[in-house]
Amino acid sequence: MAHDHHQPHQHHEAHGHTHTDLDWAEQGPMLEAQAELYTPAYEQAIAWLAEAVPAPELIVDAGSGPGVVACLFAEAFPQAHVVAVDGAAPLLERAQARAEQRGLGDRFSTLAGELPDVLEKLDRPVDLLWASRSLHHLGDQQAALTAFGEHLAPGGTLALLEGGLPARFLPRDIGIGRPGLQSRLTALEEEWFGRMRAGLSGAVSETEDWRALLTAAGLRPTRTRSFLLDLPAPATDEARAHVATTLTRLRDAAPDDLTPEDRTTLDRLLDPTDPAGVHHRPDVFVLDAHTIHTAVRPA
């Protein structure tokens, strides 16, 4: 989940799934490819977490999706058992298969159910709980953070990935349509995100002061850092595929919100036969930043 979520209902790292209208078996390969593209940023983040949490015994990925990041945790912490938690069973099947393929199966398990209640099924407290853009899919974020904290061992760490910067793929002026397309799409994404939040069961409006929310959950905030994914032009085939997938989702999410000119521009960008499209143009890149906040349960 994983999931980004300033793109309409995408799971960058495949975050906690509460949507029942998606075919997660069909979504799995796309979500895996997306998380694999972002692996350099995740590896940096995991190395940073390891500085403060050097030897966790139990790691939980809350909203794991197909398990790309959960497997990165298992590889980075060879003494740890990793539990991938998600509401989508087909994605957890992919996660378990991925762990087996990488020789991690004896230290890897899955837990299916909706956050945060499913965490009650854990048989011991958690040393490191990773929640990557899964929290904002839960109506009452403060209550969910409190529940996350209650499942930490004394001295255990919650790593919350929320916020950062909107991803960028293209220059401001791309030579077709009106300049500034991505800025306008970002504004629409913010509106979509707000509607998504408002439509959640039990939705509570919160000021997104994550340190304050973590403190209110009974945790002690410790560190905050942002991690950059910088894949400059010329883009690889994998990066181009990600950009095309993301722009397709944006184009199709709420077509009535787009101006006719911007929709025409997106159609051209997504046309595999158009030299000005993202499959061919030389200036496509991926630039994104994720922010992680950590907090510890007092001993």
Side-chain angles (χ1 to χ4, degrees):
M1 286 245 311
H3 155 355
D4 64 4
H5 263 283
H6 277 327
Q7 290 159 26
H9 287 227
Q10 160 174 343
H11 286 246
H12 235 211
E13 322 59 11
H15 333 299
H17 309 293
T18 55
H19 323 304
T20 57
D21 55 340
L22 290 175
D23 182 341
W24 292 116
E26 181 181 317
Q27 293 280 315
M30 180 272 290
L31 296 173
E32 277 187 1
Q34 189 175 15
E36 287 167 352
L37 188 73
Y38 275 71
T39 287
Y42 293 131
E43 289 178 335
Q44 293 174 46
I46 290 170
W48 177 73
L49 290 171
E51 295 170 5
V53 192
E57 295 181 6
L58 178 61
I59 299 172
V60 169
D61 184 346
S64 65
V68 174
V69 180
C71 285
L72 292 176
F73 272 107
E75 290 167 348
F77 295 97
Q79 77 290 342
H81 186 90
V82 176
V83 181
V85 180
D86 205 278
L91 295 182
L92 291 179
E93 291 172 9
R94 297 187 74 91
Q96 189 68 52
R98 186 181 189 88
E100 300 288 348
Q101 291 164 3
R102 284 160 176 71
L104 306 168
D106 59 335
R107 296 188 293 109
F108 193 98
S109 57
T110 63
L111 183 58
E114 295 300 332
L115 293 167
D117 295 346
V118 67
L119 299 179
E120 297 290 343
K121 297 179 181 179
L122 294 170
D123 60 7
R124 55 191 164 120
V126 182
D127 299 302
L128 176 58
L129 194 154
W130 167 261
S132 174
R133 291 182 173 161
S134 53
L135 182 69
H136 66 231
H137 282 281
L138 305 177
D140 190 337
Q141 296 179 102
Q142 183 65 77
L145 277 178
T146 300
F148 288 174
E150 289 171 348
H151 289 284
L152 291 175
T157 294
L158 171 62
L160 179 70
L161 193 163
E162 290 287 350
L165 295 173
R168 284 289 181 266
F169 310 128
L170 294 162
R172 183 190 66 87
D173 191 334
I174 59 174
I176 58 173
R178 184 159 69 95
L181 173 66
Q182 272 213 269
S183 293
R184 293 191 296 280
L185 291 175
T186 296
L188 288 176
E189 289 175 279
E190 294 289 352
E191 294 180 15
W192 293 330
F193 185 83
R195 292 202 294 265
M196 180 277 292
R197 283 282 315 150
L200 293 173
S201 175
V204 177
S205 179
E206 295 279 6
T207 300
E208 292 176 0
D209 180 345
W210 300 114
R211 288 177 62 86
L213 292 170
L214 290 164
T215 300
L219 303 175
R220 179 172 56 84
T222 47
R223 300 193 296 172
T224 296
R225 184 173 160 187
S226 296
F227 295 89
L228 188 69
L229 180 73
D230 182 8
L231 305 177
T236 62
D237 289 345
E238 292 80 8
R240 289 181 188 278
H242 168 65
V243 171
T245 297
T246 302
L247 292 179
T248 298
R249 189 178 296 105
L250 291 170
R251 181 192 64 181
D252 297 345
D256 294 341
D257 292 343
L258 294 167
T259 66
E261 183 179 14
D262 282 348
R263 184 168 182 84
T264 297
T265 301
L266 283 168
D267 287 343
R268 285 198 64 186
L269 285 170
L270 293 167
D271 182 350
T273 67
D274 193 324
V278 297
H279 297 88
H280 304 290
R281 58 185 306 130
D283 55 359
V284 174
F285 60 91
V286 178
L287 185 64
D288 203 350
H290 293 339
T291 301
I292 299 173
H293 311 270
T294 62
V296 171
R297 180 174 182 175

